[in-house]
Amino acid sequence: MEYSIGVDLGGTILRAAAIDHSGKILEKIASPTNSEQGREAVISAIAASVVELRETLKEGRLAGVGIGVPGFILLERGYIVGSNNLPMLENYPVRDEIEKLLGTPILLENDANAAALGEKWMGAGREVNDLVLLTLGTGIGGGIISGGRVLHGHVGMAGEVGHITVYANGNPCGCGNYGCLEKHASATAVESMAKLLNLGDNATAEDIFHLALDGNEKAKMIFTSMGRALGIALATLVNVFNFPLYLLSGGVLPAWEFFAPPMMKEIEARSFTFRNAATRVEKATLGNLAGLYGAAYLPFLAQRI
Ligand SMILES: [Zn+2]
């Protein structure tokens, strides 16, 4: 039996799973990322989780190891060049160092790209070969799957949908731009709007959702604003790609009933392609397992080249 190991490297939790060709999870483990202990500790934690799974699955043949990491990746060099969650891994040969420890080839992928690939393999995108996934969290990550594979662009930085400009003079973003989608539609953006509207300084996106459920007009307005920003970005994506499917995931999804109607209205109004081609905008289905599936799928995909 052949299996692959996928690793999802979060800022605080590292999850790893052994998955077979059919997408069945054979074994799944989680451990702390150990980021506060520095780079070596994180690299060791990744290696240790792979070793643990290999020992458990010793009867099987390992097809390879895929790792989803938060941040911009230079794919060919195996470097992470920018990561908000794990800055200690920046400008360091992450892939080569882990390969040295394990003696097995490693495939790195941006975590949002890995999640998009996971949804294509085993989630809401199983029936299509082309899709875009937007993950709405602290920021907004994105992954583009074209022809069944991740669209990487020139050096591996494609799919940064969170930094699409939705308002030319909008909120300033850490990337240097103004009005990035993630500054207007992420969970963090929802919380900032709540603060501005005096709904509480520490209200979470979930709190705002409950307020909206209770009929709070300000809370509903926040999700309308969020939905419009998403719709503006999605209309652009639909126009550019003409893909059949666009998926949304992340902790803000429960508020779908509030943000989706204004979102769909914007897409409809702004995209000729949307009005003339069957296009679905839906919820992703794998939740926080998407990245793990996608990372594990990387070695299987590599076998097919
Ligand atoms: Zn930005």
Side-chain angles (χ1 to χ4, degrees):
M1 183 261 313
E2 190 176 57
Y3 69 97
S4 156
I5 292 180
V7 178
D8 183 15
L9 187 63
T12 51
I13 301 286
L14 182 166
R15 285 174 306 164
I19 303 183
D20 72 9
H21 277 274
S22 71
K24 185 175 168 218
I25 294 184
L26 306 169
E27 189 71 41
K28 185 154 72 80
I29 54 176
S31 58
T33 301
N34 289 338
S35 52
E36 69 291 342
Q37 292 172 37
R39 187 163 72 198
E40 305 298 324
V42 177
I43 300 291
S44 303
I46 296 168
S49 65
V50 172
V51 168
E52 189 183 333
L53 286 170
R54 282 175 81 166
E55 279 170 6
T56 313
L57 275 288
K58 51 181 172 291
E59 303 296 313
R61 202 187 82 77
L62 178 64
V65 178
I67 306 178
V69 295
F72 293 102
I73 299 171
L74 298 183
L75 272 184
E76 262 180 41
R77 294 177 61 203
Y79 267 60
I80 298 173
V81 289
S83 177
N84 288 335
N85 292 336
L86 297 167
M88 83 293 289
L89 293 185
E90 288 176 11
N91 303 309
Y92 176 74
V94 174
R95 182 189 60 208
D96 294 354
E97 288 303 314
I98 301 172
E99 282 184 356
K100 253 189 246 168
L101 283 174
L102 292 172
T104 189
I106 300 290
L107 294 160
L108 282 189
E109 186 56 88
N110 164 273
D111 56 358
N113 285 348
L117 191 59
E119 290 289 344
K120 190 267 160 289
W121 185 33
M122 293 303 298
R126 269 182 294 186
E127 310 299 322
V128 301
N129 271 321
D130 307 287
L131 65 87
V132 179
L133 171 74
L134 277 70
T135 57
L136 316 176
T138 316
I140 292 185
I144 300 163
I145 302 299
S146 178
R149 291 174 183 268
V150 174
L151 184 81
H152 284 119
H154 171 44
V155 294
M157 290 185 183
E160 289 298 330
V161 293
H163 300 283
I164 292 175
T165 304
V166 289
Y167 298 115
N169 301 306
N171 298 331
C173 179
C175 74
N177 187 24
Y178 287 84
C180 285
L181 175 64
E182 73 173 32
K183 288 292 150 188
H184 295 271
S186 61
T188 314
V190 166
E191 288 157 13
S192 306
M193 285 188 266
K195 211 183 258 188
L196 280 176
L197 293 172
N198 296 318
L199 289 179
D201 277 353
N202 300 310
T204 64
E206 202 184 332
D207 296 334
I208 319 300
F209 168 54
H210 287 293
L211 282 175
L213 278 180
D214 290 341
N216 183 297
E217 290 303 323
K218 284 181 184 173
K220 286 198 219 166
M221 211 166 79
I222 289 171
F223 288 116
T224 300
S225 168
M226 175 205 163
R228 290 187 62 191
L230 271 177
I232 292 169
L234 279 163
T236 298
L237 292 169
V238 172
N239 283 343
V240 170
F241 290 114
N242 181 210
F243 284 169
L245 184 63
Y246 301 80
L247 296 172
L248 302 178
S249 74
V252 197
L253 272 201
W256 180 271
E257 61 183 289
F258 295 107
F259 72 76
M263 173 182 82
M264 297 311 297
K265 206 169 141 192
E266 289 293 334
I267 304 174
E268 176 88 36
R270 292 174 189 271
S271 173
F272 179 81
T273 310
F274 183 82
R275 293 193 300 272
N276 290 281
T279 308
R280 291 180 291 139
V281 181
E282 292 175 3
K283 297 178 192 176
T285 54
L286 295 178
N288 61 13
L289 288 182
L292 210 48
Y293 276 107
Y297 190 46
L298 291 169
F300 291 148
L301 256 187
Q303 288 176 339
R304 291 200 210 152
I305 290 171

